[in-house]
Amino acid sequence: MKTVITHMQKQRITSILNWVSSIFVENRFTSSKTSFRSIYIAQNPRLYRTKTPVFSDVYVSQVSPAIRREAQAALLEYLHSTRSLQYLDAEHMSKNSPRFIDQLLKQVQHAADIKWSINRYLWFHPINEFEPFFESLGLEPFEYRSLLPHDLMFLSDDELLLENYYVLCNYGIARSKIGKIYKQAMEVFRYDFGVLQSKLQAYEELGLNQFFISKVIVCSPYLLIGGLNAKFVEVLTILKSMGIELSWIEENLLEQDSYNWSMILSVLHLFSKIGFSEEQLGGLIRQHPGLIFEGSGNLVLTLIVFLLKFGTTMNEIHLMFLRFPQIQAGIFFLNLKKCLMLLFEIEMELDEIGKIIRSHAMFMGSLTLKKPKTILSLLSVGRKATL
C-alpha cells in the first residue's frame, strides 16, 4: 500500500528540513566570537598608511629570496637603528610582515642595491609602524586596517600597547599569536601598567600553570577582560572532579579555535541532566573530547535538540552517547542529516521517520551516505518505488 503524504505533512517536512539545514550550516561555518568595544580605532585608517603607487605585482612575485632578505634587513635596520625599537621586536617585524615587505619592494623595484634603496626610501618616507607590527602579530591587512590608530604612526608613542604586548611576550605567548588576542580583546592593550600582570597572576593563584594559562588565553582572549571568568573556573572544577587533568585539557585545545566556556558549561550540565554520572561523563569526554571542545559543544546541543524533536527520550539519548562512535560530533550530525534528507526525499511519513531515528540514530550518524538523488539514481528507482 502506497503511503500518501498530505499537504500539511509536506509543510512540516519542509519546516524540519530547513531547520536542520540552518542549524548545521550555522554551526559548521560560524564560530563563537567574543564581542569587544571598538576603542582606539582609526577615524581615518588611511591617514598615516604607507602610500603605494599602482604597480604590477609581477615584479614582487618574481623577487628572489636573496632580495627579500635584503629588504628585511633594511626594515630591521630602520626599525632598530633609526626608530630605536628593541632588536628582537624589529627583527620579528621585519621577518614576519611579508605583505609590508612587498609594498616596500614595489617602491624600489629594479633598483641595483635593494637594501640601500629601501633605506633611502624609509629615510624620506617614515612608515606607519603599526602596519608591520600588526602583521607580524598574525593579523592580515584586511583585519588590522580598521585597527590603525588615527593619530599615531610610531609604536613608541603608544606606551600602553607596548607595555601590555611585552607582558604577554614575557609570559610566554608567541608574538604571532598576540594578534588574535588584540583582535578579540582590544581592551587588554589599554590596561594601565601592572593590571594585565595582576590578571594573569589571579589565574595562577587558582593552581594553573603558566603554560596552561598562555594557551587558554590564546584560545579565549576574553578571559582577560574583567575579573576571573566564573564559567571557565566552574568548567575546570567539574572536569577536575571527573579526574580530568589540566594537561589533558591543554592537549585538546586548539590555538586556532576560540572557545565559549559558558556554552561548554551548559553542555556539561545537560549531560548531567540526561543521567550521566561523574564517572560516566569523565570517561565519555576523555574518549570523545570533541563533544565539548568542537564548536564549544554547540553541535552536541544541536544534536540533542534534534533528537528530542523526533521524540527521542532522555534515556535513549543517554544510551546513545554511552555508545557514541569514534567520530567527530560534526561528522556524526552531518551523516544523520543526510539520512534524514533521504527519508524526506522518498516521502516517508514523519511518524515512521521518527521511529527510525529513535531506533537507529547511532547507525545513521555513523554511516556516510551519498546525496538522495544519487542513491535513487544508483538504485534506478523513483521515490514511490522505495515505499
Side-chain angles (χ1 to χ4, degrees):
M1 180 178 179
K2 293 184 178 180
T3 304
V4 179
I5 295 184
T6 66
H7 177 68
M8 184 175 295
Q9 284 179 315
K10 285 185 177 181
Q11 285 186 323
R12 190 178 171 198
I13 288 174
T14 302
S15 175
I16 292 176
L17 187 55
N18 289 339
W19 175 80
V20 172
S21 298
S22 65
I23 289 293
F24 176 75
V25 171
E26 179 181 351
N27 283 286
R28 186 178 183 189
F29 296 105
T30 63
S31 59
S32 57
K33 296 181 180 179
T34 305
S35 60
F36 54 84
R37 292 183 294 112
S38 299
I39 58 175
Y40 208 64
I41 292 182
Q43 299 297 321
N44 181 1
R46 295 182 178 273
L47 184 60
Y48 288 119
R49 290 192 64 226
T50 305
K51 296 181 180 179
T52 55
V54 180
F55 285 122
S56 169
D57 290 332
V58 175
Y59 169 73
V60 171
S61 65
Q62 295 176 345
V63 166
S64 68
I67 290 180
R68 189 168 293 278
R69 284 193 294 271
E70 286 187 45
Q72 292 173 346
L75 181 58
L76 168 60
E77 183 175 316
Y78 170 79
L79 293 173
H80 178 58
S81 301
T82 304
R83 293 294 310 129
S84 301
L85 293 183
Q86 293 186 20
Y87 183 83
L88 289 179
D89 296 331
E91 181 183 43
H92 181 77
M93 289 168 62
S94 64
K95 290 185 176 180
N96 294 279
S97 54
R99 290 172 181 78
F100 189 81
I101 291 293
D102 286 347
Q103 298 306 313
L104 290 179
L105 286 170
K106 287 180 181 180
Q107 304 295 338
V108 297
Q109 59 178 316
H110 306 305
D113 189 330
I114 292 294
K115 183 179 178 182
W116 181 87
S117 298
I118 290 180
N119 278 332
R120 185 173 184 277
Y121 173 81
L122 293 175
W123 182 261
F124 292 103
H125 302 85
I127 61 173
N128 184 336
E129 295 169 8
F130 290 89
E131 291 188 49
F133 176 70
F134 284 140
E135 185 178 356
S136 72
L137 299 188
L139 295 177
E140 297 289 339
F142 73 88
E143 293 177 301
Y144 69 67
R145 282 188 185 120
S146 63
L147 306 178
L148 296 175
H150 70 280
D151 56 354
L152 299 175
M153 61 185 294
F154 300 126
L155 279 172
S156 58
D157 291 335
D158 194 337
E159 294 183 352
L160 290 181
L161 171 64
L162 289 179
E163 166 65 18
N164 290 295
Y165 165 72
Y166 288 135
V167 169
L168 295 175
C169 287
N170 294 334
Y171 202 74
I173 297 176
R175 285 175 166 83
S176 60
K177 305 293 183 183
I178 294 178
K180 180 182 178 182
I181 300 175
Y182 189 89
K183 185 173 67 171
Q184 296 188 15
M186 287 177 61
E187 295 96 321
V188 170
F189 295 85
R190 308 314 321 155
Y191 286 154
D192 206 347
F193 294 88
V195 174
L196 179 55
Q197 188 65 53
S198 67
K199 290 180 180 292
L200 294 170
Q201 182 64 36
Y203 281 108
E204 288 185 13
E205 291 173 358
L206 295 175
L208 309 180
N209 62 64
Q210 185 172 324
F211 294 106
F212 179 80
I213 296 173
S214 297
K215 187 166 188 178
V216 168
I217 292 305
V218 172
C219 295
S220 309
Y222 68 91
L223 294 180
L224 292 175
I225 299 175
L228 286 174
N229 188 281
K231 304 292 186 182
F232 169 69
V233 174
E234 189 173 351
V235 169
L236 296 186
T237 301
I238 292 175
L239 294 179
K240 183 178 180 180
S241 70
M242 298 174 185
I244 295 177
E245 302 292 336
L246 290 178
S247 58
W248 182 92
I249 300 174
E250 181 181 352
E251 181 182 342
N252 284 281
L253 293 178
L254 301 177
E255 290 184 337
Q256 64 267 30
D257 291 343
S258 296
Y259 296 91
N260 184 329
W261 295 95
S262 178
M263 183 172 292
I264 292 175
L265 181 61
S266 297
V267 173
L268 292 174
H269 285 327
L270 182 56
F271 273 127
S272 296
K273 290 181 180 179
I274 289 174
F276 277 89
S277 65
E278 281 191 356
E279 183 179 356
Q280 286 179 329
L281 186 52
L284 176 67
I285 291 174
R286 274 190 290 268
Q287 190 173 6
H288 303 284
L291 291 178
I292 61 172
F293 292 136
E294 189 178 341
S296 300
N298 195 20
L299 281 172
V300 171
L301 292 175
T302 302
L303 177 59
I304 292 175
V305 171
F306 171 83
L307 294 172
L308 290 173
K309 267 184 170 288
F310 282 95
T312 309
T313 65
M314 284 293 196
N315 186 54
E316 289 171 333
I317 294 175
H318 181 200
L319 292 175
M320 185 197 75
F321 278 109
L322 284 176
R323 297 176 293 173
F324 201 79
Q326 289 293 340
I327 188 173
Q328 292 182 355
I331 295 177
F332 184 90
F333 188 74
L334 174 60
N335 291 341
L336 194 59
K337 171 179 173 283
K338 287 182 177 179
C339 289
L340 180 63
M341 291 177 68
L342 175 61
L343 299 180
F344 284 165
E345 185 70 22
I346 64 175
E347 299 183 355
M348 180 177 287
E349 288 186 338
L350 285 177
D351 289 343
E352 295 300 318
I353 292 176
K355 290 179 183 178
I356 292 176
I357 290 178
R358 288 193 296 273
S359 302
H360 305 291
M362 181 65 65
F363 174 74
M364 295 167 71
S366 305
L367 182 66
T368 301
L369 288 181
K370 295 181 180 295
K371 292 182 179 180
K373 290 183 179 179
T374 303
I375 294 175
L376 295 177
S377 176
L378 291 173
L379 294 174
S380 299
V381 296
R383 299 176 183 175
K384 302 298 183 181
T386 60
L387 298 175

